[in-house]
Amino acid sequence: MSKHLFLIILLVALFIKLDAQNKLSKPLSSQYELSSIIPLKSFINTPIIVDNKSKNYPPQAGYTIPIKISLVDGIIDSTLSGYIWRTTIEIKNSNSVNFYISNVSLEDYQSLFLYTKEYAHLTEYHSIDANNISTDFIDGDKIIVELNSKSEITNIPFQIMEAGILLSKPQGFGDAGNCEVHVNCSEGNDWQFQKNGIARILVKEGNTTFWCSGSLINNTRNNGEPLFLTANHCGINSDSVDYADWMFYFNFESDDCIQPLEEPDYNLLTGSTLLSNSKFGTGGGSDFKLLRLSENPGLQFNPYFNGWDRSTTESPNGVTIHHPQGDLKMISTYQKPLTSTKYDNDQVDPNGMYWRVVWAQTENGFGVTEGGSSGSPLFNEEGLIIGALTGGRASCTYLEQPDFYGKLSYSWAPLTSDSLSQLAHWLDPIGSGVMYLNGSSLDSTNVFAGFVSNTNTVIIGDNISFKNTSIGNITSYKWLFEGGEPSYSELEFPENIKYKRIGEFDVTLIVSSSKDSDTLIAPDYIKVVPNIFPNPSDGLFKLVFGKEIPDSYSLRIFGLDGKEVRFMIKEKGTNYLVINMNYSEAGYYLVRFSSDELITSYKVMVF
C-alpha cells in the first residue's frame, strides 16, 4: 500500500473518530428520577467597564468575577451507574456566562457537565488532565455543574476560579459596521484557504476580556505546530495564566454573503502560551505577538496554516481577513500599492516598521477594519502574510482613511532581538533562510520522516551532522547510524556522528507522534572513503584528515615482512601530511597513524 493511499485511509478513519467524540453523552442525572434538590450558590454580578474609545485598543467584550465552589456546595446522589455531584451557580443579572476552571484532573471514570435546566446548552469534559480550561458561553444566569464518577466522590477534581460575563453591547455577533464584507462574498472567492487560518480571539487580561483577531501561521518544518500570530497590544498586560484562558473561535462566519439572523456554529479552541512579542511601543516596535495554541486544531476545524513573506516588497494589492467588533469573519480589500511608514504617519519612510494601507470599495461593500480587527493578518497578492494590524483611522464613517500593519519583515529579527522578541526563531526553526513560505492545510496528526546531512561523503574518521526535515507533530526521534559512533540517537538534530571505517552505510530515522509513526531508511547514504591518495603511486602519498592534525601523533610504515621502513614527511599542513617513499622498493606497505583520538592503518602500493 502506498504512503499516500495509507494517509487518505488514515484521515478518513480519524475524521470518523473525531466525529464520534463530538457526539454529546448524557449526564447520569438525566437517566434517574432524583428527588434531591440541587443547592444554589449565588454570586453578585458587578460589571467592570473599561473606559477606552481608542481604535488602538481592542473593544471590551466583557469581564470576569471570582468564583469559588467546594464539595459542600453541592449534593451527592448514589445510583446503580455511579455517583452524581451537582450544584447550581447563579450569576445574577447575566444573560450569558462562561467559566475559567483550573487544576482539572478527571479520571477515566469521571465526567464533568455544565448545562441549564432541561440539559440545554450542554458542555462536557471526560478523562482530562489540564491546568486550565475555559468553557464556551452558556446562555442563562443559572448554570448546573454536574460531576459523574464510578467511585465515591470525596472531592471535586477541578476548581472553578472565575465566571466570564459579556457586556450587553458589544456582544460580538451582529455588531460590525454595515460597510463590512462577509468573507464568503465574491471578494473572498480566492481566499478560501487563507480564511480557514483566521480566528476571533476572546482575550483575557486580568478581570476583563476583549475581542481581537489573528491567524495560524506556518513554519519551515511544515509540521502543523499551532503557532498563532496577532498584535501585541491584544492583552498587552496578560500573564501566563491569562494566556492559558484565551479562547480562539475558528470558522465563525456566514455561510454566504448575508448576515444571518442567528449566530452560526463555530469551532472553539482554548488556551495558549506566549512565545515572543514586540518589546517596544508602536514608535520602537512592530506590535506583533506570537502564541502557541494549547492544542492542535483537529480535522473538524479544517485548519490552514497561513504562509508568510518576510521581504520588504510593497505589495500592489491584497486583503485582510478579520473579526470587526468580534463579529463574523469579514474581508477587506486594497487595490493600491502599500507604502512603508512609521505608525499612524502618512509620510513614506523606507525604514518604517509599518505598512500603510487604504481600503477599496468592492462589489459587496467597502470593507475596512474596526475594533476587534486588531492582530488580523495583511496578505499580499500571493496570499502570504506580510503584517499584523495595529490600528489606524479607517472605519465605516471614514472609509478612505489609512490603517497600519506592523511589518512581518521587521518583526522577523529586529536589531538586538532574541528568540523572545522575534519571529525568525519560531517561523524558521531549521534555519533555512527562506524569504517566504507557502501556507499549508497539513493534518498535524500524521508524521513523515525526512532528513538531510551536511555531507554524505567523508574521509575516514570525519564527522557528519544531520538536519531533521520531518513533517508532523513529532514527539520522538530514533536515529540508527550504521558504521557511525554513536550508532543511535534520540536527538532532533544529531551532530558529530563519527565514521571510522571505510564503506557505505545506511541511515535510518523513525519519527513518532501520539498517533502515528514513519520510518525512512536511506541505504548506503553515507560513503566513507580512504584518506590516503594517490594509491598506488610512485612513492608520494597525501594523507588527509577531517580536522586539524594533533600536536602529538605517531606515523610508522611497515613492509609486508613486518620490518619498519624509512620515509620522509615532505610537507605538513593543518590537516594533511605528504609522505615521501620514493626510495622504497616497489611493493605493498602498511601506513599506521595513531593519536589520542584516532588509530588507523592504510595499505598502499609503491610502483
Side-chain angles (χ1 to χ4, degrees):
M1 179 185 295
S2 72
K3 181 74 174 178
H4 294 292
L5 180 58
F6 173 76
L7 176 58
I8 292 172
I9 295 172
L10 179 62
L11 290 176
V12 172
L14 182 58
F15 180 80
I16 294 172
K17 180 180 179 182
L18 288 171
D19 185 59
Q21 288 177 341
N22 287 331
K23 293 178 180 178
L24 297 175
S25 56
K26 292 183 178 181
L28 275 180
S29 62
S30 67
Q31 303 172 32
Y32 292 93
E33 293 287 341
L34 301 176
S35 59
S36 55
I37 298 174
I38 305 175
L40 174 69
K41 187 162 185 178
S42 294
F43 295 89
I44 297 174
N45 178 4
T46 304
I48 301 171
I49 308 299
V50 177
D51 183 17
N52 179 48
K53 297 181 180 179
S54 169
K55 185 185 173 183
N56 259 13
Y57 209 79
Q60 185 179 0
Y63 54 93
T64 68
I65 61 173
I67 293 288
K68 187 175 182 181
I69 295 292
S70 63
L71 183 69
V72 297
D73 294 315
I75 189 168
I76 298 176
D77 291 290
S78 177
T79 71
L80 294 175
S81 302
Y83 295 87
I84 303 169
W85 176 88
R86 291 176 296 167
T87 189
T88 300
I89 298 176
E90 179 185 38
I91 309 297
K92 294 183 177 179
N93 302 317
S94 65
N95 297 317
S96 186
V97 180
N98 81 314
F99 294 102
Y100 298 95
I101 308 176
S102 298
N103 303 321
V104 185
S105 182
L106 295 173
E107 301 292 346
D108 293 341
Y109 53 83
Q110 294 177 318
S111 298
L112 172 63
F113 300 89
L114 300 97
Y115 53 88
T116 56
K117 61 181 181 180
E118 298 179 355
Y119 304 100
H121 309 289
L122 182 65
T123 300
E124 63 176 291
Y125 299 94
H126 306 277
S127 182
I128 183 172
D129 187 4
N131 291 328
N132 299 82
I133 58 175
S134 307
T135 74
D136 201 357
F137 284 89
I138 303 172
D139 291 340
D141 60 352
K142 294 183 179 67
I143 313 299
I144 299 172
V145 181
E146 178 175 334
L147 174 66
N148 295 168
S149 177
K150 291 184 179 180
S151 66
E152 186 175 358
I153 298 173
T154 57
N155 69 292
I156 52 174
F158 55 86
Q159 294 177 330
I160 300 179
M161 305 299 293
E162 295 176 272
I165 297 100
L166 291 177
L167 294 173
S168 58
K169 279 291 181 179
Q171 292 186 2
F173 175 66
D175 286 326
N178 58 13
C179 69
E180 301 290 5
V181 179
H182 286 281
V183 74
N184 288 320
C185 293
S186 58
E187 289 86 338
N189 287 348
D190 295 332
W191 303 90
Q192 292 298 294
F193 284 113
Q194 287 82 355
K195 75 168 187 177
N196 290 333
I198 311 301
R200 177 181 72 165
I201 315 169
L202 184 63
V203 172
K204 187 173 185 295
E205 183 180 282
N207 57 4
T208 51
T209 56
F210 305 89
W211 294 124
C212 272
S213 302
S215 176
L216 290 170
I217 190 166
N218 200 14
N219 74 87
T220 52
R221 286 181 186 158
N222 282 288
N223 61 354
E225 184 177 3
L227 303 178
F228 192 90
L229 180 68
T230 186
N232 190 47
H233 74 269
C234 291
I236 192 169
N237 296 313
S238 294
D239 60 21
S240 59
V241 176
D242 290 329
Y243 285 121
D245 287 329
W246 281 27
M247 302 170 68
F248 301 84
Y249 297 78
F250 289 86
N251 304 310
F252 187 52
E253 60 193 57
S254 173
D255 290 336
D256 49 36
C257 198
I258 301 173
Q259 180 78 14
L261 296 177
E262 295 183 357
E263 189 171 297
D265 293 335
Y266 49 79
N267 300 100
L268 177 63
L269 190 152
T270 64
S272 64
T273 303
L274 175 66
L275 297 180
S276 64
N277 62 336
S278 178
K279 304 302 181 185
F280 306 99
T282 55
S286 53
D287 189 45
F288 81 91
K289 177 176 289 181
L290 187 69
L291 306 170
R292 179 186 286 116
L293 304 186
S294 297
E295 302 176 54
N296 289 308
L299 287 180
Q300 70 273 33
F301 283 66
N302 193 26
Y304 189 76
F305 299 84
N306 274 302
W308 42 262
D309 184 341
R310 66 181 183 91
S311 72
T312 57
T313 303
E314 297 175 350
S315 174
N317 57 77
V319 303
T320 190
I321 303 175
H322 55 115
H323 288 275
Q325 298 296 339
D327 203 346
L328 302 181
K329 193 180 297 177
M330 307 289 179
I331 186 168
S332 303
T333 304
Y334 65 95
Q335 297 174 343
K336 294 181 180 179
L338 303 174
T339 55
S340 175
T341 184
K342 295 182 175 68
Y343 179 70
D344 200 21
N345 195 302
D346 296 326
Q347 300 299 316
V348 175
D349 180 356
N351 298 316
M353 293 174 284
Y354 288 82
W355 291 121
R356 180 182 183 274
V357 56
V358 177
W359 307 108
Q361 184 167 5
T362 53
E363 180 180 354
N364 293 287
F366 202 125
V368 292
T369 65
E370 304 178 62
S373 303
S374 290
S376 59
L378 183 67
F379 293 98
N380 65 9
E381 77 279 12
E382 301 296 332
L384 304 176
I385 294 176
I386 56 175
L389 178 63
T390 293
R393 296 173 241 144
S395 69
C396 286
T397 302
Y398 300 101
L399 298 170
E400 297 182 357
Q401 289 295 311
D403 279 334
F404 298 88
Y405 286 73
K407 290 180 179 179
L408 191 137
S409 59
Y410 185 84
S411 306
W412 187 257
L415 295 175
T416 69
S417 71
D418 56 19
S419 63
L420 302 180
S421 55
Q422 62 169 247
L423 293 177
H425 176 81
W426 309 98
L427 301 189
D428 188 15
I430 66 174
S432 68
V434 297
M435 293 301 294
Y436 68 90
L437 181 70
N438 290 325
S440 172
S441 56
L442 173 71
D443 171 24
S444 61
T445 62
N446 298 291
V447 293
F448 297 86
F451 63 84
V452 295
S453 60
N454 59 332
T455 181
N456 59 355
T457 300
V458 292
I459 58 175
I460 189 170
D462 209 349
N463 298 333
I464 296 180
S465 295
F466 293 83
K467 179 179 288 188
N468 165 59
T469 60
S470 303
I471 294 174
N473 190 22
I474 297 168
T475 57
S476 69
Y477 301 85
K478 295 180 181 179
W479 299 79
L480 301 175
F481 304 107
E482 182 188 14
E485 295 182 8
S487 61
Y488 176 80
S489 175
E490 294 184 357
L491 298 176
E492 183 177 359
F493 299 103
E495 296 182 342
N496 300 322
I497 306 301
K498 180 174 289 188
Y499 289 85
K500 295 182 178 181
R501 293 188 291 124
I502 296 172
E504 297 182 347
F505 304 104
D506 298 351
V507 176
T508 301
L509 172 60
I510 305 169
V511 294
S512 301
S513 70
S514 59
K515 298 180 180 180
D516 192 21
S517 65
D518 187 38
T519 300
L520 173 62
I521 302 175
D524 300 334
Y525 183 79
I526 300 300
K527 297 176 176 60
V528 184
V529 298
N531 57 353
I532 190 166
F533 62 90
N535 190 12
S537 82
D538 60 0
L540 284 178
F541 298 93
K542 187 172 186 179
L543 181 60
V544 182
F545 302 86
K547 59 182 179 180
E548 185 175 351
I549 300 173
D551 293 333
S552 177
Y553 68 89
S554 171
L555 185 66
R556 302 171 70 185
I557 301 178
F558 300 88
L560 292 183
D561 57 4
K563 293 182 179 180
E564 190 168 355
V565 298
R566 293 189 306 157
F567 65 92
M568 292 180 57
I569 296 179
K570 184 176 181 180
E571 183 179 349
K572 181 178 183 295
T574 303
N575 65 343
Y576 69 89
L577 299 171
V578 176
I579 304 169
N580 185 356
M581 297 177 59
N582 283 337
Y583 42 81
S584 298
E585 295 181 0
Y588 289 97
Y589 295 86
L590 188 67
V591 179
R592 181 174 297 167
F593 178 91
S594 63
S595 69
D596 291 340
E597 297 181 1
L598 178 65
I599 299 176
T600 187
S601 299
Y602 314 97
K603 188 176 182 180
V604 297
M605 179 181 178
V606 176
F607 56 77

